[in-house]
Amino acid sequence: TDVAIQCAPTLKSVFHHLAVNPKTHQIEAAAVTTNDFKDNELMKDLLDQTTQGIIQVCADGAYDAENCYQAIQDYGAKAIIP
Protein backbone atom coordinates (compact mmCIF):
# COMPACT_ATOMS: atom_id res chain seq x y z
CA THR A 1 0.00 0.00 0.00
CA ASP A 2 1.23 3.50 -0.81
CA VAL A 3 0.49 6.20 1.74
CA ALA A 4 0.45 9.94 1.12
CA ILE A 5 0.94 12.09 4.23
CA GLN A 6 -0.63 15.54 4.21
CA CYS A 7 -1.07 18.41 6.61
CA ALA A 8 -4.06 20.68 6.06
CA PRO A 9 -4.70 23.76 8.20
CA THR A 10 -8.38 24.01 9.17
CA LEU A 11 -8.75 26.66 11.84
CA LYS A 12 -6.21 29.04 13.25
CA SER A 13 -3.53 26.90 14.91
CA VAL A 14 -5.35 23.57 14.32
CA PHE A 15 -4.05 21.09 11.74
CA HIS A 16 -5.26 17.78 10.36
CA HIS A 17 -2.56 15.28 9.41
CA LEU A 18 -3.77 12.46 7.17
CA ALA A 19 -2.31 9.27 5.76
CA VAL A 20 -4.31 8.53 2.61
CA ASN A 21 -4.18 5.49 0.36
CA PRO A 22 -3.80 7.12 -3.09
CA LYS A 23 -5.40 4.16 -4.88
CA THR A 24 -8.55 3.86 -2.75
CA HIS A 25 -8.58 7.43 -1.39
CA GLN A 26 -9.35 6.01 2.05
CA ILE A 27 -7.90 7.66 5.12
CA GLU A 28 -5.54 5.16 6.73
CA ALA A 29 -4.49 7.34 9.68
CA ALA A 30 -5.21 10.77 11.12
CA ALA A 31 -4.02 13.18 13.79
CA VAL A 32 -5.21 16.62 14.84
CA THR A 33 -2.67 19.00 16.36
CA THR A 34 -2.09 22.59 17.28
CA ASN A 35 0.91 24.57 16.11
CA ASP A 36 2.77 23.30 19.19
CA PHE A 37 3.78 20.25 17.14
CA LYS A 38 6.10 20.02 14.17
CA ASP A 39 4.73 17.93 11.32
CA ASN A 40 7.71 15.60 11.37
CA GLU A 41 6.96 14.63 14.99
CA LEU A 42 3.84 12.77 13.80
CA MET A 43 5.24 10.43 11.14
CA LYS A 44 5.71 7.39 13.38
CA ASP A 45 2.29 7.84 15.01
CA LEU A 46 0.60 8.05 11.62
CA LEU A 47 2.42 4.97 10.36
CA ASP A 48 1.54 3.07 13.55
CA GLN A 49 -2.16 3.67 12.86
CA THR A 50 -2.11 2.06 9.43
CA THR A 51 -3.53 -1.46 9.16
CA GLN A 52 -2.05 -2.53 5.81
CA GLY A 53 1.55 -3.06 4.83
CA ILE A 54 3.20 0.13 3.64
CA ILE A 55 5.32 0.06 0.49
CA GLN A 56 5.87 3.76 -0.09
CA VAL A 57 5.31 7.01 1.81
CA CYS A 58 4.90 10.30 -0.09
CA ALA A 59 5.01 13.43 2.06
CA ASP A 60 5.70 17.13 1.69
CA GLY A 61 8.84 18.94 2.80
CA ALA A 62 7.55 19.43 6.35
CA TYR A 63 8.32 15.74 6.87
CA ASP A 64 11.87 16.05 5.47
CA ALA A 65 13.57 15.08 8.72
CA GLU A 66 15.78 12.22 9.84
CA ASN A 67 13.16 10.85 12.26
CA CYS A 68 10.65 10.56 9.40
CA TYR A 69 13.10 8.75 7.14
CA GLN A 70 13.95 6.42 10.03
CA ALA A 71 10.29 5.67 10.78
CA ILE A 72 9.61 4.94 7.11
CA GLN A 73 12.71 2.74 6.87
CA ASP A 74 11.61 0.88 10.02
CA TYR A 75 8.42 -0.05 8.15
CA GLY A 76 10.46 -1.29 5.21
CA ALA A 77 8.93 1.35 2.97
CA LYS A 78 10.36 3.76 0.42
CA ALA A 79 10.30 7.49 1.27
CA ILE A 80 9.35 10.07 -1.35
CA ILE A 81 9.79 13.45 0.30
CA PRO A 82 10.82 16.42 -1.85
Side-chain angles (χ1 to χ4, degrees), residues 55-69:
I55 298 168
Q56 179 173 289
V57 175
C58 302
D60 65 25
Y63 297 91
D64 186 15
E66 186 59 39
N67 65 311
C68 293
Y69 290 105

Side-chain angles (χ1 to χ4, degrees), residues 2 9 25-26 33-34 36 45 54 63-64 75:
D2 292 345
H25 304 286
Q26 291 185 339
T33 64
T34 64
D36 296 331
D45 292 336
I54 300 169
Y63 297 91
D64 186 15
Y75 276 83

